[in-house]
Every structure is written in C-alpha cells, then in structure tokens.
Amino acid sequence: MRVTLAGYNYIGHFRRGELKIVLEAGGMGCYVNPKDEFNMFELFRVFDIDPEDGKMLESLTGKYCRVHFDGQGYPKMLQHLTNDNIIWKVG
C-alpha cells in the first residue's frame, strides 16, 4: 500500500489530536495511529527512511509498504517491501 497522507490531525470538537497515516491501494484504504513516539523509529525504517537525525512524518507520503490485516480487516502490521525483518506492529 502507498501512504497518501501522513501528519498531525487535530480535532477541535474533542480538543485533541493524533498522528495519522493513511494507506491506500487498489480502491481500498486504511489508517494507522502510532501508539507512542518511541515506537516511531521502526515505522520510519519500514519505509526505508533513517530517522536518526530527525524526519518529518510527512516524509512518509508517497512511500510504499506491505500491510498485514487481522481477521476483522484491521491493519495489524506494516512490513518493508523487500526486507521481511523490518516490521512495525500497530498498537
């Protein structure tokens, strides 16, 4: 799937925000929210981005990954396109 949107989504009605990543492919889409900032390092690695010295979440836009779904159709894991050892589990 390809990332079509990545950023901070603020919802004024609830006075809260969230990091949001939208993935789409072949007429279907899903979104994931990172559970914490520590967990973000592996997320960037899934997309072949080295976040060591700082990267914007928007740098994920246009990048591809494999998405694994659970039995109910929710994303459970993102995986690097060619390296099976690089995964990010949805929290």
Side-chain angles (χ1 to χ4, degrees):
M1 298 184 98
R2 184 174 72 88
V3 177
T4 58
L5 179 69
Y8 181 78
N9 182 41
Y10 179 73
I11 305 165
H13 181 76
F14 297 110
R15 305 290 195 268
R16 68 178 290 265
E18 61 187 0
L19 297 177
K20 189 176 203 176
I21 301 164
V22 179
L23 300 123
E24 294 181 355
M28 69 173 285
C30 64
Y31 73 92
V32 296
N33 290 315
K35 62 183 176 181
D36 58 43
E37 291 179 9
F38 186 78
N39 186 278
M40 297 287 292
F41 189 84
E42 290 302 321
L43 175 67
F44 279 100
R45 290 193 61 227
V46 163
F47 295 98
D48 254 347
I49 296 173
D50 181 6
E52 189 66 35
D53 294 323
K55 289 291 180 189
M56 298 291 288
L57 190 60
E58 290 84 1
S59 66
L60 300 178
T61 303
K63 301 282 187 177
Y64 290 87
C65 72
R66 291 183 278 171
V67 181
H68 298 265
F69 294 91
D70 65 14
Q72 295 154 340
Y74 294 104
K76 68 176 183 177
M77 182 175 71
L78 304 184
Q79 189 172 23
H80 190 276
L81 281 178
T82 59
N83 186 338
D84 292 342
N85 296 323
I86 302 176
I87 61 170
W88 179 77
K89 293 186 179 181
V90 177

